[in-house]
Amino acid sequence: MPSPKVKLYSLTTCAFCTAIKKMLADLEVDHDFIDADMLPDKEKEELLDELGKINPRCSFPTLLIDEKVITGYMVQEIKETLGIRTEVDELYDNLKKIQEPRGYCFNANREKTFELLRALLTNKDRYGYMACPCRLASSKRQKDKDIICPCEYREADIKEYGSCYCELYVTDDWNTGKITRMLVPDRRPVRR
């Protein structure tokens, strides 16, 4: 199977562009990129004409994978388009099998869900356990046992708000907008 043709339209000042360049390099994906802000005026105008044909907003980053156009920092969509699976995909599959039968759905915003799952894996690497990515872990498992995902506050949060604190786990009604989405207050007691 031939490798897809990957081209990134970017800016040197764009943090998301830089992050996508790093991600493609880390995943060892052959790609071309062009930093639009580094071009002379005439070439910049030509680039904008070219970019406008695939992304009329001419926003950055814009990634072209064969014929598919992805705009913005859409890590999971990029990986899926490239057919790349990583540890976070395995975590997603495993947790989905366990949690959905219990009535806990993942947030339908896949980018947010996978961002939170990547953060859980980061905490697992740091602390040895998947502490909630939205709370500061102490690196002492016993002290953090209440915030090991799924945290002990999830059930009450979902019952009251339709979502857990970090919005990783939600109800179907939350996902479909049948209930009003509200900011979930942190139930964790203040630590002194």
Side-chain angles (χ1 to χ4, degrees):
M1 181 173 171
S3 296
K5 184 174 175 164
V6 180
K7 183 174 184 178
L8 174 64
Y9 296 85
S10 63
L11 301 172
T12 60
T13 55
C14 169
F16 293 134
C17 298
T18 301
I20 290 174
K21 286 177 192 174
K22 182 180 182 328
M23 180 189 82
L24 293 172
D26 290 348
L27 294 172
E28 299 179 352
V29 173
D30 287 332
H31 64 283
D32 294 319
F33 70 89
I34 187 154
D35 290 325
D37 56 333
M38 299 304 290
L39 297 173
D41 288 343
K42 185 175 188 292
E43 289 179 41
K44 196 179 294 181
E45 286 302 317
E46 291 169 1
L47 176 86
L48 289 174
D49 289 341
E50 175 185 325
L51 180 57
K53 290 175 184 166
I54 61 168
N55 175 7
R57 294 185 68 208
C58 291
S59 57
F60 298 91
T62 296
L63 188 66
L64 183 61
I65 302 173
D66 287 332
E67 300 300 316
K68 172 135 178 157
V69 178
I70 301 172
T71 59
Y73 186 64
M74 307 299 285
V75 173
Q76 196 58 30
E77 185 177 355
I78 293 167
K79 284 178 39 199
E80 289 172 3
T81 301
L82 291 168
I84 295 173
R85 288 184 56 84
T86 61
E87 183 181 13
V88 72
D89 299 291
E90 299 303 321
L91 178 62
Y92 175 86
D93 292 345
N94 291 334
L95 290 177
K96 187 173 177 149
K97 281 182 211 170
I98 295 166
Q99 300 301 329
E100 277 192 354
R102 296 177 180 167
Y104 300 107
C105 303
F106 280 129
N107 187 323
N109 179 334
R110 288 180 60 79
E111 292 298 327
K112 180 166 186 161
T113 294
F114 277 86
E115 183 178 312
L116 289 165
L117 292 173
R118 279 189 288 279
L120 283 174
L121 290 172
T122 296
N123 281 346
K124 182 180 179 188
D125 288 343
R126 284 183 185 157
Y127 308 118
Y129 50 92
M130 291 192 298
C132 176
C134 300
R135 296 179 171 109
L136 180 62
S138 69
S139 77
K140 295 175 179 72
R141 186 182 191 92
Q142 187 60 29
K143 192 173 180 179
D144 293 336
K145 67 182 180 178
D146 63 323
I147 61 166
I148 295 174
C149 189
C151 73
E152 68 181 45
Y153 312 106
R154 176 183 72 169
E155 188 173 341
D157 288 347
I158 288 182
K159 186 175 184 178
E160 187 171 348
Y161 298 99
S163 164
C164 70
Y165 178 65
C166 65
E167 299 179 353
L168 176 62
Y169 291 107
V170 300
T171 63
D172 279 328
D173 287 346
W174 189 94
N175 263 337
T176 59
K178 290 181 182 172
I179 60 173
T180 303
R181 294 181 183 181
M182 299 172 51
L183 184 64
V184 177
D186 193 352
R187 296 177 190 269
R188 192 174 199 209
V190 175
R191 305 275 187 204
R192 293 202 157 93

